[in-house]
Each structure stands twice: as structure tokens, then as C-alpha cells.
């Protein structure tokens, strides 16, 4: 076999490699330098954002973005040093239509990524806040670039895409230091509303954790079928779920005990049914009928039994007179 041609190619490749070796070594050195620069920029971003009291997730996101950006710049510079004919414009041209296709393919990912950045920048809620989104409610664990995770009150994890949280309504239960709670209590129609109101206010003030400013309230909100409904309203601090449940338990127990102890009725739903049993002589005449209908004008109709007794008495009298007549 003739190895001369193969040997010539190997020699050419070796010469090309030796000619390129300085550029490769310089490129590796440049890349290592950019690694240190990227680490320094990441540390600097972390210090700057931490000093301005940004959230932990925002600090982590900005530092990662700065680190990745510096690495990309370092890779481009490294390729330019290693391959002098390479330019960033060449890379962009190579991507071309492929970049557009990738953009459409990863549209949802990019949308969630941008939404995550905006959530971290605007901070409608933070880590450890308690939020409610649709049927999900719990404590925010992490805010990542793709999704936000919350831990529900019953110990489950829910992962919600950032785009949904950004474009839809989210209730932040811990956005403010105070939170108002309320509950409707029904008393009997025969009870004194002012007395019941005073007793409810006293009961709320006696419960530990109920704020005195703003003061508790008891307002009449409904005249229901079986009850007069008074709405108890009070404020708590802090507004977390555990405090909410503890305060609700204490206030409702105190109100119930206070009202019952002072003779205030707490009636359950009742219904009165009127059965019309044809007990009046005007049965069927709705202008005079009373049971279930307006009494109308004029005298009150007599009971049917009285009318029946009169008819029987009249019939007996007529019979008696007939019997006394001579044949």
C-alpha cells in the first residue's frame, strides 16, 4: 500500500494544528478569564440587589442572568480568538430561520420566562406570602423563571406557570399586616337586637388576638326567614392562615357562649305551613277567607261548626213544630 498520500495529509493536519495551537491556548486562557469575570459579576449583582432589599428569588435570578450573559460573551470572544474567521454576525446568520422556528416551538417557555422575570421585578407577592389562585391556596415556596410553587395548607405542592399568575387575578392574603374576618350570626325575631349586638362586641373584645383598633363591629345585614342576621367583623395581626383559623375558632365560641348565657336565641331554620281545612262558612270565597288569605273587608266569617249547629237547631225546631201540629 502507498501511505505517502495519507502521510502527507497527516503532516498537513499536524502543521495546521501547530499553527492553530497558539490560538487554542489563548482561547482557553480567555475563556478561563471570562469564567472569573462572570463569577465576579454574579457576586457583585448579589451584593447590589441584597443591599436594596430585593427578594431572594430576584437576587438569584439577576445573578444567574448576569453570569450566563458573561459566559455567552466569553464563548463568543473565545471562538473569535480561536477561529479568526468566526464573527458573532456569522452565528446570527447561521441561526436564521431556525431561530424563528425555535422561537415558535418554545413560545410557552419564553412566555413563562418573561412572566417570571416581571413577577420578580414587580413583586406582587414574595416567597413565604400566602396567596390564592383559582382553587389553589397556600404558601409561596419558590418563584422560578418558569413556574411558581406553592405549598397548600393540607401539605401538597402545586406548580403554577408564571404566565398564568401574571395575567390572572391572584389574592395575596399576607400583603398587609392586618386582615379583617367576619361571620354572620342569626338571632330570633323576638330578641333585643341592641342587647345581642352589645354581647357580641363584648365577646369579640375578650378573645386574645382580636385587635381593638380597628374596633370590632356587629352589624345587622339581613332579615332572613327564621333569623335576624348580625355580621360580626374583627381584625387580626398577623394575617396568616393559622392565625385566621385560631381567631375564627375563639371568636365563634365566645359569641355563642355569651349569647346563650344571656338568653339570646340562636334559632335553626323553621317553616310555618298553613293547612286550609274548610273551617269557615266562606270557604272558597277569597275576599273573605282568612286562613292563608287576607280577611278582606266586613265582618269576620263565623266558624263552620257554629253555622252547622245553627242549621241543625233550625232543622230540629222545624221538625218539632211539624210534630206538634194536629193530624
Amino acid at each position: 500500500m502507498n501511505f505517502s498520500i495519507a502521510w502527507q495529509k497527516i503532516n498537513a493536519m499536524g502543521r495546521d494544528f501547530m499553527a492553530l495551537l497558539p490560538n487554542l491556548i489563548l482561547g482557553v486562557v480567555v475563556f478561563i478569564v471570562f469564567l472569573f469575570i462572570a463569577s465576579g459579576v454574579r457576586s457583585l449583582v448579589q451584593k447590589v440587589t441584597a443591599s436594596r432589599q430585593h427578594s431572594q428569588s430576584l437576587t438569584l435570578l439577576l445573578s444567574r442572568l448576569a453570569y450566563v450573559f458573561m459566559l455567552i460573551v466569553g464563548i463568543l470572544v473565545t471562538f473569535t480568538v480561536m477561529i479568526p474567521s468566526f464573527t458573532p454576525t456569522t452565528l446570527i446568520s447561521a441561526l436564521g430561520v431556525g431561530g424563528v422556528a425555535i422561537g415558535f416551538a418554545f413560545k410557552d417557555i419564553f412566555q413563562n420566562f418573561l412572566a417570571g422575570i416581571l413577577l420578580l421585578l414587580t413583586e406582587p407577592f414574595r416567597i413565604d406570602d400566602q396567596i390564592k389562585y383559582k382553587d389553589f391556596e397556600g404558601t409561596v415556596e419558590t418563584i422560578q423563571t418558569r413556574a411558581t410553587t406553592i405549598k397548600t395548607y393540607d401539605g401538597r405542592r402545586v406548580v403554577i406557570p408564571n404566565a398564568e399568575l401574571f395575567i390572572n387575578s391572584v389574592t395575596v392574603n399576607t400583603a398587609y399586616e392586618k386582615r379583617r374576618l367576619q361571620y354572620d350570626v342569626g338571632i330570633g325575631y323576638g330578641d333585643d337586637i341592641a342587647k345581642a349586638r352589645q354581647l357580641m362586641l363584648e365577646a369579640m373584645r375578650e378573645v386574645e388576638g382580636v385587635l381593638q383598633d380597628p374596633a370590632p363591629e356587629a352589624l345587622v345585614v339581613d332579615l332572613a326567614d327564621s333569623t335576624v342576621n348580625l355580621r360580626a367583623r374583627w381584625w387580626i395581626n398577623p394575617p396568616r392562615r393559622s392565625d385566621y383559623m385560631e381567631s375564627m375558632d375563639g371568636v365563634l365560641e365566645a359569641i355563642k357562649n355569651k349569647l346563650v348565657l344571656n338568653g339570646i336565641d340562636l334559632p335553626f331554620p323553621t317553616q310555618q305551613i298553613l293547612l286550609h281545612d274548610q273551617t269557615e262558612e266562606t270557604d272558597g270565597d277569597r275576599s273573605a277567607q282568612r286562613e292563608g288569605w287576607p280577611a278582606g273587608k266586613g265582618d269576620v266569617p263565623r266558624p263552620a261548626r257554629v253555622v252547622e249547629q245553627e242549621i241543625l237547631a233550625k232543622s230540629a225546631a222545624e221538625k218539632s213544630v211539624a210534630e206538634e201540629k194536629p193530624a
Side-chain angles (χ1 to χ4, degrees):
M1 293 180 63
N2 187 2
F3 293 98
S4 59
I5 298 177
W7 182 252
Q8 290 176 2
K9 290 184 177 181
I10 293 175
N11 285 335
M13 292 174 61
R15 288 192 299 270
D16 292 340
F17 177 76
M18 294 303 295
L20 188 61
L21 184 60
N23 291 340
L24 293 176
I25 296 175
L26 182 59
V28 171
V29 172
V30 170
F31 184 73
I32 293 175
V33 171
F34 268 94
L35 282 176
F36 285 103
I37 294 175
S39 299
V41 170
R42 179 173 59 184
S43 300
L44 179 62
V45 171
Q46 288 178 347
K47 292 180 180 179
V48 172
T49 54
S51 63
R52 296 188 178 184
Q53 297 181 348
H54 289 294
S55 68
Q56 181 181 358
S57 295
L58 179 60
T59 300
L60 183 61
L61 172 65
L62 294 179
S63 62
R64 284 179 178 176
L65 289 177
Y67 183 79
V68 172
F69 176 77
M70 293 306 301
L71 281 183
I72 293 174
V73 173
I75 292 173
L76 293 177
V77 174
T78 299
F79 272 102
T80 303
V81 172
M82 290 183 175
I83 309 173
S85 61
F86 174 83
T87 60
T89 306
T90 305
L91 177 62
I92 295 174
S93 301
L95 291 175
V97 179
V100 177
I102 292 174
F104 278 105
F106 293 92
K107 177 176 67 69
D108 292 338
I109 295 178
F110 293 148
Q111 184 180 13
N112 288 321
F113 175 77
L114 293 176
I117 293 177
L118 292 174
L119 286 175
L120 291 169
L121 289 174
T122 57
E123 292 188 328
F125 53 84
R126 301 182 179 183
I127 293 177
D128 291 333
D129 271 338
Q130 294 184 342
I131 66 173
K132 181 178 181 181
Y133 170 72
K134 293 185 178 179
D135 295 331
F136 307 113
E137 185 173 1
T139 304
V140 178
E141 287 187 317
T142 58
I143 306 175
Q144 301 175 349
T145 53
R146 188 194 72 84
T148 296
T149 61
I150 65 174
K151 181 179 181 182
T152 61
Y153 301 131
D154 56 356
R156 295 179 293 171
R157 173 176 294 174
V158 180
V159 181
I160 305 174
N162 288 328
E164 292 193 19
L165 293 175
F166 186 75
I167 63 178
N168 293 307
S169 300
V170 179
T171 302
V172 184
N173 293 327
T174 54
Y176 303 103
E177 295 182 354
K178 301 175 184 179
R179 181 178 178 181
R180 192 186 70 189
L181 282 62
Q182 66 182 38
Y183 192 86
D184 291 351
V185 179
I187 64 173
Y189 271 90
D191 293 313
D192 188 343
I193 295 178
K195 180 181 178 182
R197 188 201 311 271
Q198 185 61 34
L199 292 172
M200 291 172 61
L201 293 175
E202 293 177 1
M204 286 186 284
R205 295 190 186 102
E206 294 171 358
V207 176
E208 183 179 359
V210 174
L211 300 180
Q212 304 303 317
D213 185 20
E217 298 175 304
L219 309 173
V220 178
V221 293
D222 189 20
L223 300 178
D225 294 337
S226 306
T227 60
V228 177
N229 293 339
L230 280 73
R231 178 164 299 169
R233 305 198 303 184
W234 68 99
W235 293 80
I236 61 172
N237 180 12
R240 305 192 71 81
R241 178 69 175 184
S242 57
D243 305 291
Y244 169 93
M245 296 300 298
E246 182 178 354
S247 181
M248 184 69 72
D249 174 74
V251 168
L252 295 187
E253 180 181 359
I255 288 177
K256 189 266 183 184
N257 292 338
K258 179 77 73 172
L259 293 178
V260 172
L261 183 63
N262 289 271
I264 300 296
D265 187 22
L266 299 176
F268 51 83
T270 58
Q271 185 177 15
Q272 184 179 7
I273 300 177
L274 297 175
L275 298 176
H276 189 73
D277 56 358
Q278 299 182 352
T279 58
E280 297 176 354
E281 61 178 327
T282 56
D283 178 60
D285 183 0
R286 294 187 177 180
S287 64
Q289 189 173 324
R290 290 187 300 164
E291 293 183 358
W293 301 91
K297 299 180 180 179
D299 298 333
V300 176
R302 295 177 299 168
R305 65 179 185 276
V306 175
V307 177
E308 184 179 357
Q309 290 174 357
E310 291 182 354
I311 294 175
L312 292 175
K314 183 178 180 181
S315 176
E318 292 177 350
K319 183 178 181 182
S320 177
V321 171
E323 291 177 351
E324 291 179 356
K325 288 183 178 181

